[in-house]
Amino acid sequence: MTQFRAHGHPEVDVLPTRHKTATINGQKVFYREAGPSDAPVVLLLHGFPSSSHMFRHLVPALADDYHVIATDHIGYGHSAMPKVDAFDYT
């Protein structure tokens, strides 16, 4: 575990967050992942117009007890940003 001190918060132990990508239907999707792979999964979904960055503090906080995954939608954050004529943004 890594110790860090957030602004105004006491030092806490957190598991590292891994930054990964997966290719889905030819598009690169970025996601943050933390926690043991055999733990119950928590999938953190966000609304428009945001990215997994909004969960950057929540992911490690949940990682002791859960396998946490937070994605960036296509067109946001670190995921692929295809042109509108090449991808159906629905």
Side-chain angles (χ1 to χ4, degrees):
M1 286 196 215
T2 304
Q3 292 216 342
F4 78 98
R5 182 181 301 272
H7 179 69
H9 297 280
E11 244 177 55
V12 294
D13 288 332
V14 295
L15 293 173
T17 299
R18 298 172 297 281
H19 296 172
K20 297 182 172 185
T21 59
T23 301
I24 301 171
N25 293 334
Q27 300 295 328
K28 181 183 82 167
V29 176
F30 173 86
Y31 62 98
R32 298 164 197 267
E33 180 179 36
S37 60
D38 60 345
V41 175
V42 173
L43 178 61
L44 300 173
L45 299 174
H46 56 80
F48 180 86
S50 191
S51 72
S52 64
H53 184 262
M54 69 183 291
F55 297 123
R56 68 192 177 281
H57 299 298
L58 183 58
V59 169
L62 295 173
D64 281 340
D65 298 315
Y66 299 99
H67 183 95
V68 186
I69 300 168
T71 66
D72 284 356
H73 291 305
I74 298 293
Y76 295 93
H78 298 290
S79 287
M81 298 200 183
K83 296 183 188 243
V84 294
D85 59 347
F87 183 78
D88 188 16
Y89 283 91
T90 61

